[in-house]
Amino acid sequence: MRVDWEALSFRLAMGLVAFVALVLLVAPTAVVIIVSFTSGFSLRFPPPGYSLRWYGELLDAWQLHFAAMNSLKVAAWTTGLSVVLGTMAALAIARSPKWSAKLLDSFFMSPLVLPALAFGLAGLMFFSALGLPVSPMTLIIGHTVVCVPYLVRNTVAALSQLDPSLLECSASLGADRLYTFRRITLPLILPGILAGGFIAFMSSFDNVPVSLFLRDAATDMLPIRMWQDLEGKLDVTIAALSGVLIVFTVALIMVMERLTGLSRRLA
Amino acid sequence: MSSASPTAYDMKLALPLTGFLAAFFAAPLALLFLLSLQVDPKGGGYGLSQYTNFLGDLFSLGVLGSTLLLGLEVTALCLLLGYPVAWIYTRSGPKVRSLIILIVLLPLLTSVVVRTFAWIVILGRQGIVNSTLLSLGLAETPLKLLYTQGGLIVALAQVQMPLTILPLITAIGRIDPNLGDASASLGAGQWRTFVKIMLPLSLPGIIAGAMLTYAASITAFITQSLVGGGQMLFMPMYLYQQASTLQNWPFAAAISIIFLVAVLGVVTLFNLLGRLSRGYANA
């Protein structure tokens, strides 16, 4: 049989580039995990030996604990606020044919497009013009502005997949609107709300540009602490912390994948 | 008006978020614009002097130019590497698919600081690339990879590639597979079918992915500052330095507005191209 060189070269080229890309995507995560188990003092790769010492050091790094607690608290408040505001807004605009709903949709999405650093600066100017000093409150407000679009987008998507005949059935069987919402709509769109909430939580927990301007000096945030540590010295404790964060993230992704089919919502 | 249809909810439910974003998003941006018109940081008259300072200064224009160029380079690399990944995804079975999607989602959801930190470990003097090159005898002394444009482009490409791949998967998945078969039965080889049929039909995905990647890479403050280092200055760091270190708020506000306009300009351009390409893909 004659060899189809053209088909072969095409498959080979596609496969090879895709392989390189997938390695490039995974490599950094893998490298961090391996380096975090080093027994040495530097971030040399491969490490001279393996131990859990830097994970032990992490247990005593109270500055990092403090920063992590702040980040978790702010992310939790941001997610709560985003879920309430975003879900209500999504319900209002998702199935509306009005032009105002389309306009509102673009307005709700606009924080995603604008550079977060520019918004952080604008927020700082705004609060100082109002005479409000920066505080955990201004931080949560700022984070909610940049995280709420994820809630709106995912909830709108879930609502648009909802079969309207289900709601009509419920109504024709005598259920009032609130009952229908509680028993039919909410359970069906819950995966969308959860996926949006998850993404909002992760992006708040990881946010640097808005936090840089809207936090007060006493509120040390984890990603900022890590960023400042990395600009100065290369500390292996940060590698161990990164290892913990990666495991935490992968575990959450798997839970959310089970609960909400996260990957289908992102793609 | 209470609507008769049980499927429609009252528009009033959108009021809290509209109010919230009007107060804490639109108002601050309006203030930012107002402040950028201030001539003197200490108050006083209004005018366009901050903008003319920026646009008349070769250094500032250079920062803007290199930021826009950086976005272009990262986007090109992401498309080049990401397209085959999306292609393979649409032609694989469910097992390979879920593996690919996990690999693609992982960088998207891992902390930006962690991902960037990894690139410091990889590209550093004692990093994996240098130690491999040295042990293979391909280099005599460690190469300078960190704090270079090339290193930054690769690191940014890894961070942003998921944003390129996800829309591509959607777009390539929508192409009717019969078109490929038709092209083959008419005598076109794989490469020809790809260039003449598949690539043009996936243009909406290419443009959507490119837009997200471009906007994300020019605003990627953390990666730019850690992998790029102090030698290369891009718009986000320029803005931050002027605002935070130098406390020159009106000039920082002007930088923000110029940066905002640049990002919006790029997004609008891509949206326009997207609309054109959809018309082309459906023709």
Side-chain angles (χ1 to χ4, degrees), chain B residues 18-40:
Chain B
T18 311
F20 182 85
L21 288 180
F24 299 118
F25 180 65
L29 285 182
L31 186 69
L32 184 79
F33 180 63
L34 203 66
L35 200 69
S36 74
L37 295 173
Q38 218 172 66
V39 174
D40 186 358

Side-chain angles (χ1 to χ4, degrees), chain A residues 44-190:
Chain A
R44 186 189 289 271
F45 192 96
Y50 294 93
S51 83
L52 284 171
R53 65 183 291 188
W54 296 105
Y55 283 90
E57 296 277 327
L58 198 57
L59 293 176
D60 299 325
W62 60 269
Q63 278 188 319
L64 291 176
H65 297 180
F66 178 65
M69 275 320 289
N70 282 337
S71 284
L72 280 174
K73 274 184 210 155
V74 169
W77 276 103
T78 298
T79 308
L81 201 57
S82 299
V83 165
V84 174
L85 291 174
T87 306
M88 282 169 69
L91 283 171
I93 62 170
R95 294 184 158 272
S96 170
K98 291 184 193 136
W99 62 270
S100 59
K102 291 202 170 58
L103 203 67
L104 281 177
D105 188 47
S106 320
F107 180 51
F108 297 155
M109 287 302 132
S110 54
L112 280 188
V113 189
L114 304 181
L117 206 63
F119 166 69
L121 176 66
L124 175 63
M125 290 168 173
F126 178 72
F127 287 120
S128 73
L130 287 182
L132 286 170
V134 286
S135 68
M137 185 56 107
T138 57
L139 196 54
I140 292 166
I141 290 174
H143 276 211
T144 304
V145 168
V146 294
C147 293
V148 81
Y150 299 114
L151 251 304
V152 177
R153 193 174 58 188
N154 280 282
T155 312
V156 165
L159 276 163
S160 61
Q161 282 161 9
L162 189 72
D163 187 350
S165 59
L166 288 174
L167 307 181
E168 281 153 18
C169 282
S170 175
S172 68
L173 290 170
D176 64 30
R177 295 173 63 91
L178 198 64
Y179 188 83
T180 303
F181 175 74
R182 210 155 41 81
R183 299 299 298 265
I184 312 277
T185 311
L186 192 60
L188 286 173
I189 63 168
L190 198 60

Side-chain angles (χ1 to χ4, degrees), chain B residues 253-272:
Chain B
I255 295 177
S256 307
I257 297 291
I258 290 169
F259 192 33
L260 264 170
V261 170
V263 174
L264 282 181
V266 167
V267 169
T268 313
L269 184 72
F270 277 113
N271 271 332
L272 207 69

Side-chain angles (χ1 to χ4, degrees), chain A residues 9 44 114 117 177 206 227, chain B residues 8 111-112 126 191 225 236 260:
Chain A
S9 67
R44 186 189 289 271
L114 304 181
L117 206 63
R177 295 173 63 91
D206 196 35
W227 174 56
Chain B
S111 155
V112 173
Q126 297 189 324
W191 284 105
S225 90
L260 264 170

